[in-house]
Amino acid sequence: MPEGPSIVILREEVTPFIGRTIRRVSGNTTIEKERLLDQRVEAFRSWGKHFLVELPDFALRVHFMLFGSYRINEDKSWAVPRLSLGFDAGEEINFYACSVRFIEEPLDLAYDWWADVMSAHWDPKLALKRLRARPDTLVCDALLDQDVFAGVGNIIKNEVLFRIRVHPLSTVGALPAGKLRELVEQARRYSFEFYEWKKQYVLKKHWQVHTKRTCPRCQIPLKKAHLGRTHRRSFFCENCQRRYT
């Protein structure tokens, strides 16, 4: 699943289409895609894992789910786009294996920008407040809660918990105050590091535990399990990641 930093990169890549008019629409989506014809792109925005196309009277939301992808000015010869937006001079943006829908209300009313870990509006104090209201939540679930950490996905979850030495089955309420602040701080910091590494095509080289077998600190086998309410894959070390309960 593309995480928040990848959506920010997409937002930057499509900047040349701002101010352009959509001249062609196709794809196997079931939404009323013809509404997009002759619409002028006012802006591209992102919130967490949502990619947003802002139009004069409504917006288009693209969520890449688990296996979604995109192509700019090219297509996948072996796949039909969920949605294809064509512009003058044959240029296009193609979205695959994703969910698309319209948002009728203004985006500033539809989205809580303070929850987006990569937004200039990110509010760590608000994140702490929301975490403290969820004391029984496992930290492996809390980091994936988009109301608290919009944009954080499974890779960031695993890497942040290893970085701060916290076991994924720890509960939020059991974390010392300093460790809870560290969780919030590192969720944002790692997201921006992810963004830089992704742009340089070196992201996987920096993974410490995600999909790995051996703890780089302890040199013992890592544990792998589908944990928590989200049941997402966790990679962790039972020796150096403390379980707070």
Side-chain angles (χ1 to χ4, degrees):
M1 174 187 293
E3 304 192 22
S6 298
I7 306 304
V8 172
I9 292 172
L10 165 58
R11 187 189 73 203
E12 294 173 346
E13 289 177 341
V14 295
T15 297
F17 292 94
I18 295 175
R20 305 277 297 277
T21 298
I22 299 170
R23 301 299 188 188
R24 177 188 56 77
V25 180
S26 62
N28 59 16
T29 179
T30 58
I31 67 170
E32 189 186 349
K33 56 183 178 289
E34 291 75 17
R35 286 185 69 189
L36 296 165
L37 280 173
D38 298 321
Q39 292 287 326
R40 182 180 184 273
V41 176
E42 300 286 335
F44 293 108
R45 303 175 75 176
S46 63
W47 181 87
K49 301 174 185 179
H50 295 189
F51 175 66
L52 305 164
V53 184
E54 194 167 12
L55 303 165
D57 300 313
F58 61 98
L60 175 73
R61 189 211 75 176
V62 180
H63 191 304
F64 289 95
M65 311 298 283
L66 287 176
F67 304 108
S69 61
Y70 65 92
R71 293 289 187 275
I72 300 171
N73 294 331
E74 63 176 354
D75 59 16
K76 294 182 178 182
S77 59
W78 64 93
V80 176
R82 178 76 73 240
L83 181 65
S84 177
L85 304 179
F87 300 83
D88 290 331
E91 294 184 303
E92 62 185 7
I93 308 172
N94 296 310
F95 302 103
Y96 298 89
C98 57
S99 168
V100 294
R101 70 176 181 87
F102 295 127
I103 298 176
E104 305 297 341
E105 62 184 321
L107 293 178
D108 287 336
L109 296 179
Y111 284 96
D112 177 4
W113 305 107
W114 290 266
D116 184 342
V117 295
M118 298 198 69
S119 170
H121 299 290
W122 161 254
D123 186 347
K125 292 181 180 179
L126 179 61
L128 282 169
K129 179 180 179 181
R130 289 176 174 174
L131 285 172
R132 289 176 181 135
R134 299 160 166 80
D136 297 327
T137 302
L138 298 176
V139 293
C140 61
D141 289 330
L143 275 168
L144 295 178
D145 187 335
Q146 300 301 291
D147 290 332
V148 183
F149 298 107
V152 169
N154 210 43
I155 297 170
I156 297 174
K157 177 205 76 179
N158 287 326
E159 293 296 317
V160 164
L161 290 177
F162 180 74
R163 181 176 284 190
I164 68 173
R165 297 174 180 256
V166 170
H167 193 288
L169 291 179
S170 300
T171 59
V172 169
L175 291 183
K179 192 62 71 174
L180 192 62
R181 288 193 297 269
E182 192 178 4
L183 177 75
V184 170
E185 175 191 354
Q186 289 297 330
R188 179 169 169 87
R189 179 177 298 179
Y190 192 88
S191 294
F192 277 95
E193 291 176 357
F194 182 122
Y195 163 82
E196 294 293 343
W197 294 331
K198 180 87 172 179
K199 289 180 70 174
Q200 298 167 22
Y201 302 99
V202 295
L203 175 61
K204 291 185 179 181
K205 292 181 181 179
H206 291 273
W207 290 351
Q208 296 289 296
V209 292
H210 187 72
T211 71
K212 304 297 183 180
R213 295 184 178 181
T214 304
C215 174
R217 282 196 289 253
C218 306
Q219 299 302 312
I220 62 174
L222 290 167
K223 296 293 183 179
K224 172 187 173 183
H226 290 77
L227 302 178
R229 176 182 54 79
T230 52
H231 204 59
R232 299 296 304 281
R233 287 191 308 168
S234 289
F235 297 86
F236 57 97
C237 178
E238 290 193 310
N239 185 56
C240 65
Q241 290 179 250
R242 180 175 172 181
R243 183 170 177 175
Y244 296 87
T245 56

